[in-house]
Amino acid sequence: MSEHVASKSLYYTIFAALMALTAMTVGVTYVDLGNANLIVAMGIAVTKATLVVLYFMHVRWSEKLVQMTVLTALAFLMILFAFTLSDYFGRGVLGVAGR
Amino acid sequence: MPNGHASAPHHPALQHHFDTLEQQKSSSTFGMWVFLVTEVMFFGGMFLAYVLYRTWYPDAWVAASHHLDVTLGAFNTAVLIASSLTMALAVHAAQVGKKNGQVIFLILTMALGALFLGVKVVEYSDKFTHNLVPGPSFEFDAPYTRAAQIFFSVYFAMTGMHALHMIIGEGIMLYLLVRAMKGHFTAQYYTPVEIGGLYWHFVDIVWIFLFPLLYLVGHH
């Protein structure tokens, strides 16, 4: 069940991918992409985090309960961000003081 | 009872309120993940503060970020990723019941963690000598003096909490190392190594986001 033992070579491959992505995220800052710089940087960071969670943290082979728990963390993080940002960035939209 | 736990001898690490080692490991792993969910929300609040201030002061964010050393930041990112590899290999060594592998890879993980913290000390002391620590002695070119102070407040809050997690992680690694040297962990029972590893990898993930958000703002 949770006794899946991944091969060492898989860990080395993930490590190489994480290092390559780190080099990529540094390299891309020397290219002016305007606002897309941030999107690219975050895309790379999310990819790296996903690799760590799935392979180093074994979530790919974990029980469904653990996989759901990871998704729960993401869901609540999205709620925190979506509701707070919609408040801050939605202020003044109505053109009424205090709304 | 089909399990017959009254008569059958069981593994010394199996606590009385669990039926099997596997059930015990599932519970511990789930418990660690629930804790990590709270950690995601804890750091999430600081990331949210970061997003709001960056949106309000985009130009100051770029100017202040350029005072951070990208080389040191990138080096530390590589160090932490390497420590995650050695952590994963320590868990692997435990899974296949190799005591020497556990000890070697736990020591390597601790050494890489210490290297990360050492670089952080160099960076922090550099901020003190250049008056970039928020407070009465803070100095930054106009017109970004105030907003840059907010950037460095966020910088110290986030990297400081991350560094505190690293220090706690070093303590956990030391605990695991002592038990690994005593031969406590086998292919049948290595739950502490597994969930200690989960914590270590989580701290690595936080840094994976901190590095581009703090060091790589705007283009260079």
Side-chain angles (χ1 to χ4, degrees), chain B residues 89-107:
Chain B
L89 292 174
V91 175
H92 182 273
Q95 285 175 324
V96 296
K98 285 188 183 152
K99 183 185 158 187
N100 285 348
Q102 295 169 39
V103 171
I104 291 166
F105 286 121
L106 285 172
I107 290 174

Side-chain angles (χ1 to χ4, degrees), chain A residues 5 13-14 16-17 21-22 25 27 29 33 41 45 48 50 55 59 61 63-65 67 77 79 84 93 96-97 99:
Chain A
V5 179
T13 307
I14 298 300
L21 287 165
T22 303
T25 200
T29 55
L33 301 171
K48 288 165 75 179
T50 308
Y55 296 97
V59 168
W61 309 288
E63 298 164 51
K64 285 246 164 21
L65 177 65
Q67 293 175 340
L77 196 62
I79 291 171
T84 312
V93 168
V96 179
R99 297 287 167 90

Side-chain angles (χ1 to χ4, degrees), chain A residues 21-91:
Chain A
L21 287 165
T22 303
M24 198 189 294
T25 200
V26 174
V28 83
T29 55
Y30 295 95
V31 184
D32 191 358
L33 301 171
N35 289 332
N37 271 112
L38 178 62
I39 295 164
V40 171
M42 284 300 93
I44 291 173
V46 168
T47 308
K48 288 165 75 179
T50 308
L51 288 176
V52 173
V53 168
L54 286 182
Y55 296 97
F56 283 173
M57 297 172 96
H58 305 154
V59 168
R60 189 180 161 185
W61 309 288
S62 292
E63 298 164 51
K64 285 246 164 21
L65 177 65
V66 167
Q67 293 175 340
M68 286 305 297
T69 308
V70 178
L71 292 177
T72 304
L74 294 178
F76 277 91
L77 196 62
M78 288 303 116
I79 291 171
L80 173 69
F81 271 71
F83 280 63
T84 312
L85 295 181
S86 66
D87 174 15
Y88 275 99
F89 299 150
R91 287 184 192 185

Side-chain angles (χ1 to χ4, degrees), chain B residues 160-182:
Chain B
M161 280 318 302
H162 178 267
L164 177 63
H165 278 75
M166 290 289 299
I167 293 166
I168 292 168
E170 292 281 45
I172 293 170
M173 290 303 121
L174 185 63
Y175 165 78
L176 293 177
L177 179 63
V178 170
R179 289 195 63 185
M181 287 167 82
K182 288 181 181 168

Side-chain angles (χ1 to χ4, degrees), chain A residues 1-8 11-15 18-19 22 25-26 28-34 37-38 41-42 44-50 52-53 55-59 62-63 65-66 69-70 72-74 76-78 80-82 84-85 88-89, chain B residues 22 25-27 29-30 33-34 36-37 40-41 43-45 47-48 50-52 54-56 70 74 77-79 81-85 88-89 91-92 95-96 98 105 187-188 190 194 197-199 201-202 204-205 208-209 211-213 216-220:
Chain A
M1 196 168 66
S2 55
E3 294 303 311
H4 182 277
V5 179
S7 72
K8 277 187 179 183
Y11 289 135
Y12 289 123
T13 307
I14 298 300
F15 170 71
L18 291 170
M19 286 301 204
T22 303
T25 200
V26 174
V28 83
T29 55
Y30 295 95
V31 184
D32 191 358
L33 301 171
N37 271 112
L38 178 62
M42 284 300 93
I44 291 173
V46 168
T47 308
K48 288 165 75 179
T50 308
V52 173
V53 168
Y55 296 97
F56 283 173
M57 297 172 96
H58 305 154
V59 168
S62 292
E63 298 164 51
L65 177 65
V66 167
T69 308
V70 178
T72 304
L74 294 178
F76 277 91
L77 196 62
M78 288 303 116
L80 173 69
F81 271 71
T84 312
L85 295 181
Y88 275 99
F89 299 150
Chain B
E22 190 153 82
K25 180 165 183 283
S26 291
S27 302
T29 308
F30 176 54
W33 270 107
V34 170
L36 291 183
V37 173
V40 167
M41 298 311 287
F43 279 99
F47 278 104
L48 184 56
Y50 171 96
V51 170
L52 290 173
R54 180 170 174 170
T55 312
W56 284 329
V70 174
T77 308
V79 167
I81 290 172
S83 80
S84 260
L85 173 68
L89 292 174
V91 175
H92 182 273
Q95 285 175 324
V96 296
K98 285 188 183 152
F105 286 121
Q188 287 75 44
Y190 59 91
E194 168 88 20
L198 289 179
Y199 174 86
H201 294 307
F202 168 78
D204 181 23
I205 289 173
I208 283 174
F209 284 96
F211 171 57
L213 287 176
L216 305 175
V217 182
H219 105 280
H220 287 251

